Amino acid sequence: MNQQPRENCPVLRASNVMGDQWVLLILREFFLEGPRRFQDLQDILKISPNTLSGRLRRLEENGVLERQAYSQNPPRWEYRLTKRGEALAPVMSAIRAWGEAHTPDLPDTP
């Protein structure tokens, strides 16, 4: 890695978008299943509505996801990866490969 000012390095900028575990798990769902609805994500991830809403908004603001209305009354949205989001495929594959190679399976939960 070349020496760049740490205040504006690409890793910092990427982490501002990716942020936390929830963002990675949300993105995982898009790469596994394609376009997703809010409720689908909430049901699968068991994430609070406020947390999910905030992460989706961040991803949308950063051009990783886009949303399209599928119901007017009440308003409901479907989210999908943008070209910028699809460009994360090798990153997500690398994270998955690293996890398979370097982390143990989690114990089964009852």
Side-chain angles (χ1 to χ4, degrees), residues 4-93:
Q4 292 184 327
R6 284 183 172 79
E7 310 79 51
N8 189 25
C9 82
V11 173
L12 174 63
R13 295 192 313 261
S15 71
N16 286 340
V17 173
M18 302 302 281
D20 60 26
Q21 170 186 337
W22 287 120
V23 170
L24 293 174
L25 294 175
I26 290 166
L27 289 172
R28 174 194 67 191
E29 293 306 313
F30 288 97
F31 283 103
L32 290 174
E33 302 290 335
R36 307 297 291 166
R37 295 178 177 180
F38 186 94
Q39 192 62 51
D40 296 335
L41 291 166
Q42 192 176 13
D43 291 345
I44 290 167
L45 298 172
K46 310 293 187 231
I47 184 174
S48 79
N50 288 342
T51 301
L52 178 56
S53 179
R55 297 321 186 273
L56 291 171
R57 189 176 319 109
R58 180 193 307 161
L59 290 167
E60 189 178 1
E61 288 169 355
N62 284 285
V64 176
L65 295 179
E66 62 186 5
R67 66 181 180 155
Q68 294 180 322
Y70 70 88
S71 171
Q72 299 301 321
N73 194 8
R76 303 253 189 235
W77 303 94
E78 179 178 78
Y79 296 85
R80 64 184 64 239
L81 291 168
T82 62
K83 293 285 186 205
R84 178 181 267 182
E86 291 170 357
L88 288 167
V91 174
M92 296 299 289
S93 292

Side-chain angles (χ1 to χ4, degrees), residues 104-110:
D105 286 343
L106 297 173
D108 291 338
T109 56

